[in-house]
Amino acid sequence: MDILCHTFAVDRGDLSRTAVLSNTEAPPAPGEVVLRVDTFALTANNTTYADLGDQLGYWRFFPAEAPWGVVPAWGFADVIASACDGIAPGERLYGYWPMATHARLTPVRLTPDSLVDATGHRQALPAAYNLYLRTSGDPAWRPDLEAIQALLRPVFITSFLIDDLLGDVTPPPEQVVLTSASSKTALGLAWLLQQRGMAVAGLTSAANLAFVQGLGCFGTVLPYDRLDALPRGLCSATVDFAGSGTLRQRVRDHLDDPSAWRLAVGFTHRDATPEAHPPPFFSAADRLRQRGRDWGRDEIARRVADRWADFAPWVAQRLTVQAGRGLADVEAVYRQLLAGGVPANVGHVLSPAA
């Protein structure tokens, strides 16, 4: 039976312009499954996917006709029709979905805890995004923490990889400065750095100051207008989640160390200020590929799962999950994120079905 699918899309040339695209999904062809997308998280991480859609290939995961692009999101979906041996209707998967009511996969490499999507157009894309976890066999899955998993497990992997990269920095930094310290990727990184005894300084807006101070994983927390109080004279590393050239230059000028290690990660405070020496942009996919060669996929998964098992219940006590239903709610939250209007202690987990 054909299935009517509705997809939230954005104009790739004007991210403030949105539409709902509708199409009919045919029954699964041999080897395919069709899923109903149940819930996904919508955070600043998704707007970063849109910002870098062309540069890093995020538009290519779920192609749409120009000028539209489909922003990927992390969450859960249930198989409603299967023509793939080893997967039955009712199975629940965690992974990378379109912001849509339905999705289609071509599963291969089935194991008790995971599978890989082998849909043709995704084969040239980073393998990490083609991996789906089967909740029935995922040792890290907890039904009471599904919302936290959707919100933070993807960005926690990024946090883990940045923390791992910082371990390679020579000389080792004496302090790590995080801009947009209230962002969810920064939160995970600060927690990881604290676990290994690193001094962490966070810069945030005045509105988010109390939240970041209350987390307990930053040694120093300052509003942006007081960044001149950051400790100087230390070997410092800066990880920028804000994406503001003006802010990066202010931090660089204050620390007054041209050789200080710097990395750009996100765009929570976009501006187009040109920089004489912009930091390199972090590619989680590249670091994941490197560690895949060094450690192997199973060892990466084990190390991330070990850290996640401690982090998830800790962070669940510090975030408020807000649920929404329907693509109208998806659009409303997306626009809030573009405008920077989502409180730092709030995470949105949405169901695309009304």
Side-chain angles (χ1 to χ4, degrees):
M1 182 175 68
D2 290 345
I3 299 163
L4 185 60
C5 175
H6 303 290
T7 302
F8 176 75
V10 304
D11 187 327
R12 293 165 58 165
D14 177 4
L15 298 182
S16 67
R17 183 169 172 252
T18 67
V20 173
L21 311 178
S22 298
N23 68 285
T24 300
E25 289 282 353
E32 291 184 339
V33 297
V34 174
L35 305 99
R36 180 182 294 111
V37 179
D38 182 24
T39 58
F40 55 75
L42 184 47
T43 72
N45 190 47
N46 301 94
T47 60
T48 298
Y49 291 154
D51 273 310
L52 300 176
D54 290 313
Q55 181 180 340
L56 296 184
Y58 291 117
W59 297 131
R60 295 163 57 197
F61 283 92
F62 306 106
E65 290 188 12
W68 302 112
V70 178
V71 182
W74 293 90
F76 294 86
D78 300 304
V79 176
I80 58 172
S82 176
C84 176
D85 291 341
I87 300 181
E91 176 150 9
R92 191 165 179 81
L93 303 179
Y94 166 78
Y96 210 46
W97 309 107
M99 291 189 190
T101 54
H102 297 82
R104 180 183 299 263
L105 302 178
T106 306
V108 297
R109 292 171 51 190
L110 275 64
T111 69
D113 64 341
S114 67
L115 58 86
V116 172
D117 181 28
T119 302
H121 72 271
R122 293 180 64 165
Q123 296 316 291
L125 300 171
Y129 297 101
N130 294 335
L131 178 69
Y132 291 80
L133 300 180
R134 309 172 79 171
T135 61
S136 59
D138 177 11
W141 176 73
R142 283 176 47 178
D144 60 317
L145 290 177
E146 272 200 350
I148 295 298
Q149 180 171 339
L151 281 164
L152 286 166
R153 191 164 174 176
V155 296
F156 183 75
I157 294 172
T158 301
S159 303
F160 174 91
L161 293 168
I162 298 170
D163 176 59
D164 174 59
L165 180 63
L166 279 163
D168 288 348
V169 173
T170 303
E174 297 171 282
Q175 77 169 347
V176 180
V177 179
L178 308 184
T179 67
S180 192
S182 65
S183 68
K184 294 175 175 58
T185 315
L187 192 162
L189 177 58
W191 182 87
L192 287 164
L193 290 167
Q194 183 202 43
Q195 296 300 298
R196 58 188 182 90
M198 182 69 69
V200 188
L203 297 174
T204 189
S205 66
N208 292 329
L209 189 66
F211 169 70
V212 178
Q213 288 172 330
L215 291 170
C217 51
F218 290 88
T220 301
V221 181
L222 296 167
Y224 292 120
D225 60 4
R226 290 199 54 232
L227 70 77
D228 58 351
L230 277 172
R232 301 177 67 181
L234 300 174
C235 179
S236 298
T238 302
V239 182
D240 174 48
F241 296 95
S244 165
T246 301
L247 176 60
R248 285 197 293 249
Q249 191 61 51
R250 287 178 60 207
V251 174
R252 180 182 172 90
D253 290 346
H254 171 74
L255 294 176
D256 194 25
D257 180 2
S259 64
W261 190 87
R262 300 189 305 150
L263 190 70
V265 181
F267 295 99
T268 64
H269 298 72
R270 303 170 183 79
D271 73 24
T273 304
E275 295 174 83
H277 305 285
F281 197 88
F282 178 70
S283 169
D286 288 348
R287 186 66 180 179
L288 201 57
R289 275 192 288 265
Q290 179 180 331
R291 282 312 192 200
R293 293 189 293 268
D294 297 340
W295 299 341
R297 172 180 170 270
D298 291 344
E299 179 62 14
I300 294 173
R302 186 194 67 77
R303 294 190 189 201
V304 172
D306 283 350
R307 308 306 284 149
W308 173 258
D310 293 329
F311 176 71
W314 177 87
V315 76
Q317 298 176 18
R318 290 160 173 81
L319 289 181
T320 299
V321 175
Q322 289 190 359
R325 294 194 66 85
L327 295 181
D329 280 1
V330 172
E331 179 182 6
V333 174
Y334 173 78
R335 292 193 181 283
Q336 278 185 282
L337 288 164
L338 284 183
V342 175
N345 65 328
V346 171
H348 288 277
V349 178
L350 307 169
S351 172

